[in-house]
Amino acid sequence: MIFRVKCLRGLDILTPLIKNVRYGKIKGTTKQQGAIYPFCKVSLFDKRTAKLIAETTSSENGEYIFSGVPHGMIFFVMAFDNKKQFNAVIQDNVVPK
């Protein structure tokens, strides 16, 4: 069995279904030097394996969301500067809520 990680925008990634596991969301806002940064590529990775789980693009108000993410796993999120003027930003030890 499989479940689908749904993104606010972008790709849906199919991931193995784990029985008796609750699923939640990981969401946030992309900012650059404190200001909203829209249409930014955001990637979700499994921290244990560094496997890409899902990708999306933040909305015009900088919001992104990954839903259908299993509880009990730890992730890291990377956001990339479209203009390539700044390094990617990583948020580590992210858990679904």
Side-chain angles (χ1 to χ4, degrees):
M1 297 206 136
I2 55 176
F3 75 95
R4 186 179 292 270
V5 175
K6 297 190 183 226
C7 305
L8 183 65
R9 310 173 127 219
L11 302 176
D12 288 346
I13 303 294
L14 298 176
T15 308
L17 177 66
I18 304 166
K19 289 187 176 187
N20 301 321
V21 173
R22 294 182 346 199
Y23 297 92
K25 297 177 184 176
I26 293 174
K27 60 184 178 176
T29 305
T30 54
K31 295 182 179 181
Q32 187 178 78
Q33 297 181 324
I36 296 297
Y37 190 66
F39 309 116
C40 181
K41 178 182 170 185
V42 182
S43 302
L44 177 69
F45 295 87
D46 177 346
K47 181 172 177 153
R48 186 179 56 83
T49 64
K51 179 182 176 184
L52 176 65
I53 301 299
E55 290 185 316
T56 192
T57 303
S58 61
S59 67
E60 64 184 275
N61 52 357
E63 295 175 350
Y64 67 88
I65 186 167
F66 298 101
S67 60
V69 182
H71 284 272
M73 292 179 66
I74 300 173
F75 300 89
F76 65 93
V77 177
M78 289 181 75
F80 302 89
D81 178 14
N82 296 332
K83 298 176 184 172
K84 300 181 179 154
Q85 296 175 335
F86 294 91
N87 292 330
V89 174
I90 300 171
Q91 184 176 3
D92 199 8
N93 295 317
V94 178
V95 295
K97 299 193 183 226

